[in-house]
Amino acid sequence: MKTTKTTYDRRSFLKTSLLSGGGLMLSVSWLSSVKAADKLQTLNLPEPEQWAQLNGYVQITADNMVKLLCPNPEFGQNVMTSLPMMVAEELDVDWKNVVVEMGPHDNAKLGPQFTGGSNSVRMYWKPLREAGATARQLLREAAAQAWQVPIEDITTKAGVLHHASGKSATYGEMAAKAATLPVPKGVTLKSPKAFTIVRQSKRNVEGKKIVTGKPLFGLDYKPAGTLTAMIQHPPAFGMKLKAFNAAQALKMPGITGVFSLNLYEDGFEQGGFDTRTFNDLLVVVGKTTWEVMNARKKLVVQWEPAGDTTDTMAGRSGKRTVTVPGGLESTSSQLEKMAQYARQPAQQLRKDGDPETAFKNAAQVIERTYNAPFLAHNCMEPMNFFAHVTDEKALLVGPLQAPGWVEPTLSKLLNLPADKIDIQMTRMGGGFGRRAYGQYLYEAALISKKAKAPVKLIYTREDDMTYGIYRPMYTATYRAALDADKNLIAFHVKGGGIPEHPVHANRFPAGAIDNYLAEGWEIPSNVTIGAFRAPRSNFNAAAEQSFLDEVAEAMGKDPIAFRLELLKRAKEKPVGTNNEYDPDRYAGVLELVRDKANWGKPGHEQYSRGVAAYFCHNSYAAHVVDMVTRNGQPYVERVFSAMDCGIVVNPDAARNMVQGAVVDGIGNAFYGALTHKNGAPEQTNFDTYRMIRHNEAPTLVDVHFVENNLDPTGLGEPPFPPVFGAVANALYKNTGKRHYNQPFKPDQEKRTQG
């Protein structure tokens, strides 16, 4: 059992709890008072007064229903089920009596509310459990006082309080008394062995709404009287608006306005996750999406070179000035520039031993270079946001990963205090990091303010794909030095990118090799980039794990055995002190996937098998990919996956996340590429930007988890990066050819190199 000290006193508790109608409302630490939730949908629930609806995180009715607010926005990873499960576990309620709602934006009272970085479950593991445990403790105390017995004699089970005398009461019956009691100074959290909800699969609480088409997503939200807005942005990165003629557009049916405005005025200080892909907004506003789309085609626009621009940025690293270069970039010239930079000295990120001498004296040096293009997020739901901004207040509704990150900038842009801005979060049709950047919300707000009306900003698929924000363009050269006995004596990685490098210098195999060098370099660009499901790791893992297979082959070793040897060295005789990974946990997923896939055993001769493993976002993932030739083309038929992410809160949801990452990884490895010519993206929709199709997905993705009692770590991102490497290694076995340029399909590879 684990006892944790609560972080508030009775006065603060009373400020954030209210007794009404026989119900209890409770919050814990920064999971405290929230406004009435769920303005977006009508649920078949008791009336608000029966829930003591003024404030609260946990709410209980007199008839023993429990409402839990989910603090984090949802885009498919099922946090709306998994996070409330953690509260319900410690509260000890019957899951069938629980209803879940999306909480409103309130970072001060609901915590960071950030869905990204594989942080949701990890970040809320203690606070949400503490919330449930504190509520349970108050209910036990209420029963103890009512029955005149010691609190130690009160037990709970599935929302019912019990005493050895035979007395019992539901939580709802004791809620009124519980709300008047002092907040306990400490609560005891369950041992993982006692869990009855956590670690048990629970259905998605929004599953029925999704399959029956209920209005959950941002695109569904459009109150009566809302106008539609679209933006005409420059045709290429490095260009800006010069002049426009809207005469014909304004004559089109349903059009109420055409105007231009700036996202940021000169000298505006942006936040750490702000971006201005295109600062000049040429806006068309009208009654319907179709009318606005047609009117936008009638605009006559002149564009001109933007030249170098300067942004003032704030963030975790402090205030800084960033110069964004002008010019119209093309993939061919970008590749040439990257090759040039790769030959020049770079920034040293880590150095162990004497790698220069080791390479000089090596009997054999293996050197390979890997390249990957920009990738577009391509969320199935394009960017959109509703805004209704007046001089006094603002309401913003839509799909957003990080409401707390956008609020300070929005407050400055609108000249409104934060308490006059209401941000409501809808379910997201995909995010992958794209919706962590709130410029589309800022655009909607500024358009609404200018139009003096409620507005729904909508991007078309072409807008979404050509507007940024992309996974950066990367390259990395790996070198390995072998002695005369085929022992690995030195390792060197030198990676770069546009506009950031991909190298994680303190990850495996750092710490396992005496002589190790990691370097990085970067090329500035006006092509806007951002987080993309396991940033940097998704390329780093692909290149590193492909290269390790080549080294293992040169050494005459099995790929898994070779990795395990290195991990054993990192455990027993680690090099350096900054190694990010745990060798035992890393080895654990490799051993688990080896056993589940029957690696090296007969019975799989029809498959070309590739393996890869990687650590990122505090978790460990390994995959074995089984590839066949189907209709003359390589096809991934089966995948075996092993994960170590600590305690798995909701196994079904966790398996789904890994399966989705595998399919996403295969698709990006084979097909994903966004190229530019004279600053303009060459792929603008799915007819030219190739996505994986249903019949190309594996027939089996067999997911396994290392069982332990460690606190949960990340899961949304860690399974994604090693998929690329496993596919590349299987492809080598299938075709006899190593692939160094993503995407791996030959027609795609030629196009991105041209």
Side-chain angles (χ1 to χ4, degrees), residues 315-629:
R316 288 176 293 182
S317 57
K319 185 175 178 180
R320 67 193 190 281
T321 299
V322 178
T323 299
V324 179
L328 304 179
E329 302 179 25
S330 297
T331 297
S332 56
S333 58
Q334 288 169 333
L335 287 168
E336 291 174 2
K337 199 168 188 178
M338 290 170 76
Q340 176 187 347
Y341 269 63
R343 293 189 293 267
Q344 298 174 356
Q347 178 188 3
Q348 181 176 298
L349 304 173
R350 173 169 171 160
K351 183 178 180 180
D352 296 325
D354 187 358
E356 294 87 355
T357 300
F359 275 102
K360 182 179 178 180
N361 296 332
Q364 180 182 359
V365 174
I366 305 165
E367 179 175 326
R368 301 290 184 268
T369 297
Y370 302 84
N371 297 298
F374 289 108
L375 294 178
H377 289 82
N378 284 326
C379 308
M380 289 298 101
E381 177 193 24
M383 299 300 107
N384 68 92
F385 229 86
F386 168 86
H388 189 187
V389 177
T390 68
D391 292 338
E392 293 79 30
K393 61 183 179 178
L395 171 64
L396 288 300
V397 181
L400 183 67
Q401 288 182 230
W405 292 353
V406 305
E407 186 180 71
T409 296
L410 189 60
S411 179
K412 289 193 296 182
L413 287 172
L414 299 179
N415 195 26
L416 285 174
D419 62 0
K420 297 299 182 181
I421 298 174
D422 185 7
I423 300 174
Q424 295 289 330
M425 295 163 287
T426 63
R427 189 179 183 91
M428 291 175 269
F432 315 111
R434 174 63 183 89
R435 299 190 202 270
Y437 303 87
Q439 100 282 349
Y440 57 105
L441 177 150
Y442 306 149
E443 292 168 348
L446 291 172
I447 293 168
S448 173
K449 184 176 182 179
K450 176 82 171 179
K452 300 185 183 303
V455 164
K456 182 63 173 289
L457 173 65
I458 297 176
Y459 285 18
T460 64
R461 176 60 60 189
E462 290 83 358
D463 293 335
D464 200 15
M465 200 175 293
T466 62
Y467 207 83
I469 301 165
Y470 307 124
R471 196 284 301 271
M473 193 174 181
Y474 290 130
T475 186
T477 297
Y478 284 80
R479 295 195 302 149
L482 306 182
D483 65 15
D485 296 322
K486 300 290 185 180
N487 295 311
L488 178 61
I489 59 173
F491 194 92
H492 177 206
V493 55
K494 185 178 182 181
I498 300 176
E500 68 173 21
H501 74 74
V503 180
H504 290 276
N506 297 318
R507 293 185 183 170
F508 181 77
I513 302 166
D514 288 331
N515 303 295
Y516 174 88
L517 178 63
E519 300 176 292
W521 51 265
E522 300 174 343
I523 300 174
S525 172
N526 55 40
V527 178
T528 316
I529 60 96
F532 186 105
R533 198 171 195 171
R536 296 199 295 158
S537 297
N538 52 54
F539 171 75
N540 203 49
E544 168 203 288
Q545 293 292 305
S546 297
F547 185 65
L548 288 177
D549 256 38
E550 286 212 53
V551 175
E553 184 178 41
M555 298 172 69
K557 295 186 176 183
D558 173 82
I560 293 181
F562 171 56
R563 288 168 171 82
L564 290 174
E565 286 178 12
L566 290 174
L567 289 164
K568 182 180 180 182
R569 166 65 196 279
K571 176 185 177 181
E572 296 177 354
K573 295 181 179 180
V575 180
T577 59
N578 296 321
N579 305 323
E580 295 181 13
Y581 60 95
D582 181 327
D584 279 334
R585 295 182 69 188
Y586 206 132
V589 293
L590 274 165
E591 292 166 345
L592 181 59
V593 81
R594 176 194 63 192
D595 297 343
K596 295 300 182 181
N598 290 312
W599 180 270
K601 296 181 179 179
H604 307 279
E605 291 77 13
Q606 70 271 38
Y607 297 110
S608 303
R609 314 198 88 181
V611 67
Y614 198 69
F615 159 79
C616 74
H617 293 81
N618 305 290
S619 291
Y620 302 79
H623 304 293
V624 168
V625 161
D626 284 350
M627 188 177 290
V628 297
T629 300

Side-chain angles (χ1 to χ4, degrees), residues 95-208:
W95 184 251
K96 72 174 184 289
N97 291 331
V98 172
V99 294
V100 177
E101 291 183 3
M102 180 66 233
H105 166 55
D106 196 330
N107 282 170
K109 297 168 183 175
L110 283 180
Q113 291 188 278
F114 167 52
T115 300
S118 298
N119 265 323
S120 290
V121 170
R122 178 172 178 255
M123 177 172 55
Y124 280 93
W125 176 244
K126 179 183 176 182
L128 285 175
R129 293 175 65 209
E130 185 180 301
T134 301
R136 176 176 174 271
Q137 181 82 344
L138 286 168
L139 291 161
R140 290 176 65 222
E141 181 63 37
Q145 291 187 17
W147 299 334
Q148 295 297 297
V149 298
I151 187 174
E152 292 77 15
D153 294 346
I154 304 295
T155 60
T156 62
K157 185 176 182 180
V160 179
L161 297 139
H162 298 277
H163 185 257
S165 64
K167 293 180 179 179
S168 65
T170 66
Y171 283 1
E173 291 173 303
M174 289 294 169
K177 177 67 174 175
T180 67
L181 299 176
V183 179
K185 295 185 180 302
V187 292
T188 300
L189 300 180
K190 286 185 179 181
S191 162
K193 295 180 180 179
F195 288 161
T196 59
I197 294 176
V198 168
R199 284 183 158 163
Q200 303 298 313
S201 291
K202 300 298 180 185
R203 292 181 179 178
N204 188 325
V205 295
E206 291 196 309
K208 185 176 180 180

Side-chain angles (χ1 to χ4, degrees), residues 257-290:
V258 178
F259 51 83
S260 65
L261 54 85
N262 290 334
L263 179 59
Y264 303 126
E265 298 299 334
D266 291 343
F268 185 87
E269 184 176 306
Q270 302 175 40
F273 269 74
D274 292 342
T275 184
R276 62 161 191 171
T277 301
F278 298 110
N279 199 52
D280 299 331
L281 309 181
L282 177 53
V283 183
V284 180
V285 181
K287 294 181 179 179
T288 68
T289 303
W290 180 247

Side-chain angles (χ1 to χ4, degrees), residues 698-724:
T699 58
L700 172 70
V701 181
D702 188 20
V703 182
H704 301 271
F705 295 93
V706 174
E707 295 185 8
N708 57 44
N709 290 326
L710 298 174
D711 287 354
T713 50
L715 186 57
E717 290 166 289
F720 183 62
V723 176
F724 293 78

